[in-house]
């Protein structure tokens, strides 16, 4: 999830940059702009910004959630390793007691 969140953040940033570098024709009667050589209107640029914002928020949320999940898993693994080590340390003592 962490990687997916980072990918969504990069895609959102690319959309923002793409929206910022639209070139207008300077004509107030015809307010179309060009985006990668294609004519787009103000509504299209607004939708691109809206999608970029939603992707950015989703990416940040996934990154936060993935980080918490990963930290929780690491903490659990650390705890299990300590338990396994304590069991290994206790096992030889009980074997010695059983043979005597």
């Amino acid at each position: 999830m962490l990687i997916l969140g980072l990918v969504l953040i990069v895609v959102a940033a690319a959309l923002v940059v793409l929206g910022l570098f639209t070139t207008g024709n300077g004509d107030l009667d015809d307010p179309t702009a060009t985006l990668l050589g294609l004519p787009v209107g103000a509504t299209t640029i607004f939708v691109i910004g809206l999608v970029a914002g939603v992707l950015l928020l989703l990416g940040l949320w996934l990154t936060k959630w993935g980080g918490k999940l990963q930290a929780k898993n690491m903490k659990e693994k650390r705890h299990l390793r300590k338990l396994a080590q304590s069991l290994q340390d206790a096992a030889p003592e009980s074997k010695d007691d059983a043979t005597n």
Side-chain angles (χ1 to χ4, degrees):
M1 289 298 152
L2 185 68
I3 294 173
L4 180 62
L6 292 174
V7 167
L8 287 177
I9 291 171
V10 169
V11 169
L15 283 175
V16 168
V17 169
L18 190 67
L20 288 176
F21 287 112
T22 57
T23 56
N25 57 6
D27 187 13
L28 295 178
D29 294 331
D30 184 24
T32 59
T34 57
L35 180 67
L36 299 174
L38 300 171
V40 293
T43 306
T44 306
I45 295 172
F46 174 76
V47 169
I48 289 172
L50 187 67
V51 169
V54 169
L55 287 177
L56 181 65
L57 288 175
L58 183 64
L60 288 173
W61 180 77
L62 282 174
T63 303
K64 181 181 173 184
W65 183 64
K68 281 184 178 181
L69 190 63
Q70 187 175 6
K72 179 182 171 187
N73 286 341
M74 288 174 59
K75 187 176 180 180
E76 186 177 330
K77 283 181 185 179
R78 192 178 315 122
H79 179 68
L80 288 175
R81 280 191 204 120
K82 285 181 183 179
L83 285 176
Q85 185 64 36
S86 66
L87 285 174
Q88 276 184 339
D89 292 344
E93 294 172 5
S94 63
K95 266 187 167 179
D96 292 337
D97 292 339
T99 57
N100 289 334

